[in-house]
Amino acid sequence: MNQVRKARKKLGITQEELSFRSGIPQSEISRIERGLKKKIELETGLSLSRALGVPAEDLFPDYGLNKRIF
């Protein structure tokens, strides 16, 4: 399961709620969760990370994010 979806489900919130918390459109969250969006802007990743309370490198392990950036 996609890490964003997993974290969102763990919090028990909908994509709409995550959209509200993160400022990311629900349609984009849907594409990210379904793996349709291959390139994610740094600000998008950080916004989702903050809204979900999960480190960005845990949400997007395939991106090889450097922890020093955050």
Side-chain angles (χ1 to χ4, degrees):
M1 181 183 293
N2 175 281
Q3 295 302 315
V4 173
R5 179 176 287 160
K6 185 186 256 184
R8 179 178 62 77
K9 294 278 189 181
K10 187 174 182 179
L11 285 177
I13 62 173
T14 64
Q15 288 181 353
E16 290 80 9
E17 177 65 21
L18 180 54
S19 174
F20 177 77
R21 291 181 183 195
S22 67
I24 306 300
Q26 181 274 326
S27 59
E28 186 167 353
I29 292 169
S30 177
R31 287 192 301 276
I32 290 168
E33 287 189 0
R34 290 183 290 146
L36 300 177
K37 187 155 175 89
K38 301 299 181 192
K39 291 187 178 184
I40 298 170
E41 297 290 328
L42 179 60
E43 281 304 315
T44 298
L46 292 174
S47 293
L48 290 171
S49 170
R50 285 189 291 270
L52 292 166
V54 177
E57 58 270 11
D58 292 349
L59 287 180
F60 306 103
D62 296 336
Y63 282 79
L65 298 173
N66 185 332
K67 292 181 183 185
R68 291 180 293 151
I69 294 172
F70 309 103

